[in-house]
Amino acid sequence: MAALRYAGLDDTDSEDELPLGWEQRTTKDGWVYYANHTEEKTQWEHPKTGKRKRIAGDLPYGWEQETDENGQVYFVDHINKRTTYLDPRLAFTVDDNPTKPTNRQRYDGSTTAMEILQGRDFTGRVVVVTGANSGIGFETAKSFALHGAHVILACRNMSRANEAVSRILGEWHKAKVEAMTLDLALLRSVQHFAQAFKAKNVSLHVLVCNAAAFALPWSLTKDGLETTFQVNHLGHFYLVQLLQDVLCRSAPARVVVVSSESHRFTDINDSAGKLDFSRLSPSKNDYWAMLAYNRSKLCNILFSNELHRRLSPRGVTSNAVHPGNMLYSSLHRNWWVYTLLFTLARPFTKSMNKI
C-alpha cells in the first residue's frame, strides 16, 4: 500500500478506476491502452491492476466511427446527436486473460430490451412483429431496429403503425423499419399480408406473434369466430402456417409467441378430459372475457410447443414467453373496470421497455 500511495495510485475507490492524470484509450483494432499525462507516456497494462484489456463486441447501434482531419478516431452517437473521442465500448471491455465465467444471473426484472441486445448485430436479419405500434410490440420492434435488423411492423391500424415507424426513425435515422397491414381478426387479411411479404422476396429470421385482444365484449369476426380466440391465437396460427416455408428457407430462424401466465387458470377439455372445441369459440351465453383470454393464451403455448417439435429439425425454433408482470399497457383499454385495476397496480409493474 505504501508503494501505491507513493505512486499516487490509491486515490480511487475502485481498483478499475484510473488515478488522476491517467486516461483510457483504444486502438483501431480494439485494444485498450493507458496514457499517463503527467509523465507523457503510454502503456498496455492498467496502472493499478496490471491487466490488459480489449473491447468486447461491436459499436452500439446508432454509433459510427469516424476520423478527424488529424487522423484521430472519434465516435458519433446519432441517437443522442453528439460526438466524443471516448469509445462507447469501453464500458464492455474484457480481460485479455479472462477468468472462468460464474453462474450468476445475467438479467433480472429491471433489465431493458436494449440492454439484453447490447453488442448483438442483427444486420441482414428480417424481423416481423405483430401489434408493433404500441406496448410490448413497439419496444420489441424498436430494439431490433436499433440493432440493425430490418423490422416490419405488422399492424391493423396503419396510421398508428406509421407513427411508430416515425418514432423509431427519430431515434436513429438509419434504422430499417416499415409498416404493413395485418388484421388478425380477418383471415383474408392474414393471407394478404403473407402474400405481400413473400412478394418482397426476403428472408424471415424472427417472427414475433405479439398482437392480442383482452377484455373484449362477445363478438364474432367476419369469419364467424369469437374475436379473442381468432385475434390471439387462430390468426397467428394461420400466419405461421402461411410463412412456414419462408422461415425454413431462412434457417436458423425463430418464432416467438407472446403468451401469459394466465394460461394456467383455464382448460379446454370437457369433464371427460376430451378437447371441447366449443370452449375455443364459445357462444354469447357461455362467454366470459377473462376465460376467453386465458384459453387463447393456453392455445398459444400448445401451438408453440408443437411447432417447435415439428420445425426444430429444420432449423426453426419456437418459444412461448410470458413478458413478466407488465400489467400497465394498452391491453386493458376495452373496459373501465380493468383500466382502474391496472392503474392501481401500476406502481408494482415493470415499465414498457423492461421486456
Side-chain angles (χ1 to χ4, degrees):
M1 290 298 297
L4 288 175
R5 189 177 303 111
Y6 178 79
L9 302 182
D10 67 336
D11 298 332
T12 59
D13 296 327
S14 170
E15 70 169 10
D16 286 328
E17 187 175 350
L18 291 171
L20 188 65
W22 286 80
E23 181 186 0
Q24 189 174 222
R25 296 177 178 175
T26 56
T27 64
K28 289 184 178 180
D29 55 356
W31 289 98
V32 178
Y33 68 98
Y34 305 91
N36 184 342
H37 294 294
T38 303
E39 300 181 9
E40 297 183 350
K41 67 177 184 179
T42 62
Q43 63 187 54
W44 294 109
E45 295 79 14
H46 190 284
K48 291 182 66 176
T49 66
K51 297 179 180 179
R52 294 192 179 197
K53 293 190 174 185
R54 56 184 174 82
I55 295 296
D58 300 323
L59 284 170
Y61 268 90
W63 287 79
E64 285 186 329
Q65 180 176 295
E66 303 286 351
T67 305
D68 64 19
E69 58 185 9
N70 297 319
Q72 188 170 357
V73 174
Y74 68 97
F75 303 89
V76 181
D77 179 359
H78 292 289
I79 295 177
N80 296 305
K81 308 296 189 298
R82 63 190 177 97
T83 62
T84 177
Y85 284 91
L86 188 66
D87 191 326
R89 296 170 297 174
L90 285 172
F92 303 98
T93 58
V94 296
D95 293 342
D96 187 21
N97 51 346
T99 57
K100 184 178 180 180
T102 66
N103 292 324
R104 186 178 63 182
Q105 180 176 329
R106 186 174 181 182
Y107 304 119
D108 57 25
S110 64
T111 305
T112 67
M114 291 296 290
E115 290 171 342
I116 290 175
L117 294 183
Q118 172 63 46
R120 299 292 301 274
D121 185 1
F122 287 91
T123 301
R125 300 290 180 178
V126 180
V127 179
V128 171
V129 184
T130 68
N133 60 280
S134 64
I136 301 171
F138 175 76
E139 293 296 335
T140 301
K142 181 182 74 171
S143 299
F144 274 119
L146 295 184
H147 285 82
H150 175 189
V151 182
I152 295 174
L153 282 64
C155 305
R156 176 179 57 86
N157 189 317
M158 286 305 293
S159 176
R160 293 180 180 177
N162 287 325
E163 289 177 3
V165 169
S166 297
R167 288 166 60 192
I168 295 173
L169 291 174
E171 294 205 28
W172 187 37
H173 69 284
K174 290 187 178 182
K176 195 171 183 180
V177 57
E178 62 178 300
M180 291 179 63
T181 303
L182 173 65
D183 185 353
L184 293 165
L186 189 61
L187 295 181
R188 185 172 67 251
S189 174
V190 178
Q191 188 177 46
H192 288 169
F193 174 87
Q195 292 170 346
F197 178 83
K198 290 181 177 181
K200 292 178 175 293
N201 196 29
V202 296
S203 300
L204 178 55
H205 301 98
V206 182
L207 172 57
V208 182
C209 299
N210 161 78
F214 177 77
L216 293 179
W218 183 88
S219 65
L220 295 179
T221 67
K222 291 182 179 180
D223 299 300
L225 296 162
E226 191 277 312
T227 303
T228 300
F229 171 66
Q230 180 165 335
V231 171
N232 293 8
H233 171 64
L234 194 61
H236 282 130
F237 179 94
Y238 189 38
L239 177 65
V240 174
Q241 299 309 303
L242 293 175
L243 297 178
Q244 178 176 308
D245 56 338
V246 185
L247 286 163
C248 291
R249 288 199 306 268
S250 307
R254 175 174 296 183
V255 176
V256 179
V257 183
V258 180
S259 185
S260 170
E261 278 291 318
S262 64
H263 81 276
R264 300 180 185 278
F265 306 108
T266 188
D267 62 70
I268 53 177
N269 293 330
D270 59 21
S271 57
K274 295 183 179 181
L275 180 63
D276 184 356
F277 287 100
S278 66
R279 296 191 179 192
L280 299 181
S281 184
S283 65
K284 186 174 183 179
N285 292 334
D286 296 326
Y287 179 79
W288 183 29
M290 194 68 215
L291 270 181
Y293 178 80
N294 294 352
R295 286 168 179 162
S296 71
K297 296 290 104 178
L298 177 57
C299 288
N300 287 163
I301 293 176
L302 296 174
F303 165 59
S304 179
N305 288 347
E306 179 62 16
L307 184 70
H308 182 81
R309 188 187 70 81
R310 295 189 183 193
L311 295 190
S312 57
R314 302 175 64 182
V316 180
T317 60
S318 180
N319 298 275
V321 300
H322 169 54
N325 185 30
M326 188 162 31
L327 293 173
Y328 199 81
S329 70
S330 60
L331 202 60
H332 58 77
R333 63 185 177 272
N334 296 297
W335 192 27
W336 69 269
V337 174
Y338 283 114
T339 299
L340 176 61
L341 292 174
F342 283 28
T343 301
L344 294 174
R346 186 176 186 179
F348 309 100
T349 64
K350 296 163 66 177
S351 62
M352 266 302 145
N353 66 341
K354 292 177 180 178
I355 58 177

